Amino acid sequence: MTAYDVASDRSPQRRSWVLPAPSARRILLKEFLPYAVPILVVLIWQILSSAGWISTRVMPAPTDVAGAFVDQLLSGALVHNVAVSGARALAGLIVGGTIGLALGIANGISKLSEQLTDTSLQMLRTIPHLAMIPLVILWFGIGEESKLFLTSLGVLFPIYLNTFHGVRNVDRELIEMGRIYGMNGWTLFRKVILPGALPSIFVGLRYALGIMWLTLIVSESIAASSGIGHMANQAREFMMTDVVVLSLLIYAALGKLADVIAKTMERHALSWNPVYQR
Amino acid sequence: MSGYVSRYAPRPGTIEPLGGQRQTVSAGATEAVSIELRRIDQTFGPNRVLRGIDLDVPAGQFLAIVGKSGCGKSTLLRLLVGLDRPTSGSLRFADRSGDTVEANARIVFQEPRLLPWARVVDNVAVGLGQDVDENTAHVKALMVLDEVQLLDKADQWPARLSGGQRQRVALARALVSRPGLLVFDEPLGALDALKRITMQQLVSRVWRELGFTAILVTHDVSEAVHLADRVIVLDGGKVALDLDIAAEHPRHHGDPDLAVFERRLLNAILGAD
Ligand SMILES: Nc1ncnc2c1ncn2[C@@H]1O[C@H](COP(=O)(O)OP(=O)(O)O)[C@@H](O)[C@H]1O
Ligand SMILES: [Mg+2]
């Protein structure tokens, strides 16, 4: 709609071209304001580093980190390590997520299955999985199996718990309604139980993603010969603080990316829910 | 709400959209059933909720059930639609020629119980069960949505509808399979006064158009008298009063004839204290 269209059917003092200026400024402010503090911090950090107030052994200057990024990118090491870590994360998520989802659904639907496995799972859950690293290295060495085992284990429980909870809490009245209209077995599951549990399953997924990266960071730092965690650990040995900080930033970026993907999937799958309608 | 007044001949299987030409929903059209309850008892542990109910409901009748809260109205309805089995007693459905049949019974609850993750039209299609192919189900669902005047909401999520609209979707879902018996468990209890009247008119209209047997549980005596051919009062697990409402359909609020029936029913309910 142009200003002319609006002006033609309104009184002159409410001409539309007067209005956008403050609202545009407000939008800009709203978009920019959350980033004001981080930008300021980086600026001050850079100034203090350049002035020699912060030792590069403690903390590299932002420009050094940027330089390390370019170096690692050009050498191909960065792409390789990100790909390796990404693949590990995805494998752990798929294996642990599938097991957690399957157990959560089974125990949510079947009392027998719950009786059989829930207590055992709750007992396993109390063991901090990262504390198993020494044992896992004894079992698998520092090969891929150790990372896959640990990430799968870490991812399994949040997905299991939230799927179980979600399936259990599907509205009984909706299930009764479904039965009245002839749904049973697979149809009832597909049309009522699974969609009803989905919001809770997504909560589990997003929680699991956090644990997935955490597990990977720790296990790659201790027991790996490739990946971002390994890159950071190696850089530490050579006192390359810029690469260490770069690794942290990459982990942060990957974590953010995973969360954005999960959020997008969630918004898409739960578009029926007023919370996600815009 | 102008078009509904003139249409009252029960025509099973035929619907007439407001202002449109007549359309026939042939497949699945069901005939109204009569109901015969004999010495129905329903006991939950020590709690004997229904005590030897004998009741005959002729095919196509609109019966209303009133009574204090907790007197067993919902319990009785659940037996009628086969959600529960009675502790003892017999229950039989018959068609107009008296042959025993399976009732195609549907229930509308106080809560609409729509699937929040299914669009309005898909929620209505649920009412056709699992054996109907998707396209047919979609077309039928749209036709029934037209009957309840919600065609324009077909592609909406239920969360976007008002309470009254949701209840109309629930009604459409119950109607789409052309039930022989439709029972309502306080379906209008959660609506405000104006929406109630609109819903009452709609229920009355579809009943007159489709001719199913209707059983309405309500706590509103005026609503019962307004809609039903016959009202029973349930008390102490038995039928305490059985009253034919001899008044022409459609009825109007504030009709003095109806007020007399209302008073008798209220006396029966309150006097039973
Ligand atoms: N499944 C059940 N198990 C135990 N008691 C029940 C059950 N269903 C209903 N009752 C009891 O039966 C009585 C009648 O309930 P209900 O039929 O829901 O009353 P209302 O007339 O208000 O619809 C109540 O005392 C209720 O507690
Ligand atoms: Mg009730």
Side-chain angles (χ1 to χ4, degrees), chain A residues 173 176 187 191 272 277, chain B residues 78 111 113 116-117 157 160:
Chain A
E173 294 189 336
E176 188 181 69
T187 313
K191 291 197 169 170
W272 51 267
Q277 282 170 8
Chain B
R78 293 176 65 87
E111 334 76 45
R113 300 197 187 184
W117 41 84
W157 299 115
R160 285 296 178 89

Side-chain angles (χ1 to χ4, degrees), chain A residues 18 33 70 182 220 277:
Chain A
V18 183
L33 212 54
V70 173
E220 278 187 348
Q277 282 170 8

Side-chain angles (χ1 to χ4, degrees), chain A residues 1-17:
Chain A
M1 194 189 283
T2 66
Y4 180 78
D5 289 334
V6 175
S8 63
D9 57 20
R10 283 190 185 180
S11 53
Q13 61 265 47
R14 304 189 87 212
R15 297 265 290 276
S16 68
W17 53 265

Side-chain angles (χ1 to χ4, degrees), chain A residues 57-120:
Chain A
R57 263 204 250 161
V58 176
M59 202 66 177
T63 45
D64 295 341
V65 178
F69 175 70
V70 173
D71 287 348
Q72 296 285 328
L73 197 64
L74 292 181
S75 76
L78 184 64
V79 175
H80 172 71
N81 285 323
V82 166
V84 166
S85 293
R88 281 175 188 153
L90 198 65
L93 182 66
I94 290 173
V95 172
T98 308
I99 298 172
L101 193 70
L103 284 169
I105 289 171
N107 291 3
I109 291 175
S110 151
K111 264 267 182 270
L112 179 70
S113 172
E114 187 203 347
Q115 295 261 306
L116 200 63
T117 61
D118 186 59
T119 307
S120 314

Side-chain angles (χ1 to χ4, degrees), chain A residues 173-174 176-177 180-183 187 191-192 195-196 271-272 274 277-278, chain B residues 78 83 106 109 111 113-114 116-117 126-127 129-130 157 159-160 173-174:
Chain A
E173 294 189 336
L174 279 186
E176 188 181 69
M177 184 282 297
I180 294 173
Y181 287 104
M183 294 183 198
T187 313
K191 291 197 169 170
V192 182
S271 55
W272 51 267
Q277 282 170 8
R278 287 192 297 167
Chain B
R78 293 176 65 87
L83 278 172
R106 292 285 181 241
F109 296 99
E111 334 76 45
R113 300 197 187 184
L114 304 180
W117 41 84
V126 163
Q130 308 309 312
W157 299 115
R160 285 296 178 89
R173 180 180 61 194

Side-chain angles (χ1 to χ4, degrees), chain B residues 9-168:
Chain B
R11 285 185 302 268
T14 308
I15 56 168
E16 207 169 331
L18 292 183
Q21 79 268 52
R22 185 186 298 179
Q23 295 172 330
T24 304
V25 183
S26 48
T30 324
E31 214 186 314
V33 291
S34 60
I35 307 163
E36 185 189 289
L37 300 183
R38 290 289 173 269
R39 297 159 174 247
I40 291 283
D41 262 41
Q42 186 68 311
T43 307
F44 298 111
N47 189 1
R48 196 167 157 215
V49 178
L50 301 179
R51 297 162 182 254
I53 299 239
D54 284 309
L55 184 66
D56 287 281
V57 186
Q61 185 171 67
F62 197 132
L63 172 74
I65 304 177
V66 296
K68 289 200 209 76
S69 140
C71 72
K73 305 182 294 291
S74 299
T75 304
L76 181 59
L77 290 194
R78 293 176 65 87
L79 295 179
L80 288 171
V81 296
L83 278 172
D84 296 325
R85 305 231 153 276
T87 312
S88 66
S90 73
L91 187 147
R92 189 175 84 93
F93 298 103
D95 61 16
R96 284 188 197 265
S97 59
D99 297 331
T100 301
V101 291
E102 282 272 309
N104 179 19
R106 292 285 181 241
I107 183 163
V108 177
F109 296 99
Q110 176 161 1
E111 334 76 45
R113 300 197 187 184
L114 304 180
L115 298 174
W117 41 84
R119 306 215 178 242
V120 164
V121 62
D122 299 322
N123 263 293
V124 175
V126 163
L128 286 166
Q130 308 309 312
D131 308 326
V132 183
D133 82 88
E134 228 167 90
N135 281 336
T136 315
H138 193 81
V139 171
K140 284 191 175 184
L142 288 177
M143 286 167 69
V144 181
L145 275 174
D146 193 26
E147 281 180 78
V148 300
Q149 289 151 331
L150 280 178
L151 196 54
D152 55 326
K153 304 287 184 199
D155 288 325
Q156 285 279 11
W157 299 115
R160 285 296 178 89
L161 305 185
S162 71
Q165 289 171 333
R166 276 180 222 161
Q167 204 53 308
R168 267 147 71 197

